[in-house]
Amino acid sequence: MCSFIQRLPVDWFREHLAADATHYLFPALVQRLRHCPEVPLQWRCQKLLTVRTGEQIWDLLDVLPRTFDKIPETLDTASKKDIVNRIEHAVTVREWMERMADGQSEETSSQNRHRCST
């Protein structure tokens, strides 16, 4: 609807993102799919997201230039540098999801062991 190309379903965002947090979109490179000439030029952007645990994680998002141009610029140079630094130190969405799955499976196993011992 907004000309964003996203690998994660909208429901994932509703479930995991902190609704009251500010999330950031930072253009990283121009992507032209030469093997698919029907696909228009896109901006490959890094996004810095805050999840409900308070952690910041990052992922990629492809945005059509005409859509990206409609997003208002709200940050000064120092703020942009800070966001890039946070992206460089954040885990990816995939790493975060794996960690959450491991933690949940360990928690479930621990609960099951406790039930079996009582």
Side-chain angles (χ1 to χ4, degrees):
M1 186 170 79
C2 295
S3 301
F4 294 141
I5 299 169
Q6 178 60 53
R7 286 169 254 160
L8 296 169
V10 172
D11 289 341
W12 186 93
F13 291 99
R14 287 186 183 122
E15 181 180 347
H16 296 290
L17 291 189
D20 58 344
T22 301
H23 310 284
Y24 301 95
L25 189 62
F26 190 83
L29 57 94
V30 176
Q31 177 169 300
R32 187 181 311 269
L33 303 178
R34 297 192 196 288
H35 64 285
C36 297
E38 70 279 1
V39 176
L41 174 125
Q42 303 165 12
W43 292 108
R44 170 69 46 103
C45 298
Q46 292 176 304
K47 56 188 177 187
L48 183 64
L49 308 169
T50 303
V51 290
R52 291 179 187 220
T53 62
E55 297 170 90
Q56 289 191 311
I57 60 176
W58 76 272
D59 197 22
L60 298 173
L61 178 70
D62 294 338
V63 181
L64 295 174
R66 71 177 184 277
T67 302
F68 189 85
D69 291 342
K70 293 177 185 175
I71 300 171
E73 180 65 58
T74 58
L75 301 173
D76 60 22
T77 302
S79 297
K80 290 177 188 177
K81 287 180 181 179
D82 176 58
I83 291 165
V84 170
N85 186 50
R86 286 192 270 163
I87 289 171
E88 290 174 354
H89 292 93
V91 298
T92 65
V93 168
R94 175 185 233 164
E95 291 167 329
W96 182 81
M97 287 172 41
E98 289 171 356
R99 194 174 70 217
M100 292 294 104
D102 288 346
Q104 289 173 354
S105 63
E106 288 174 16
E107 183 178 311
T108 301
S109 296
S110 174
Q111 289 171 353
N112 288 339
R113 279 192 304 270
H114 179 68
R115 284 187 200 133
C116 293
S117 64
T118 57

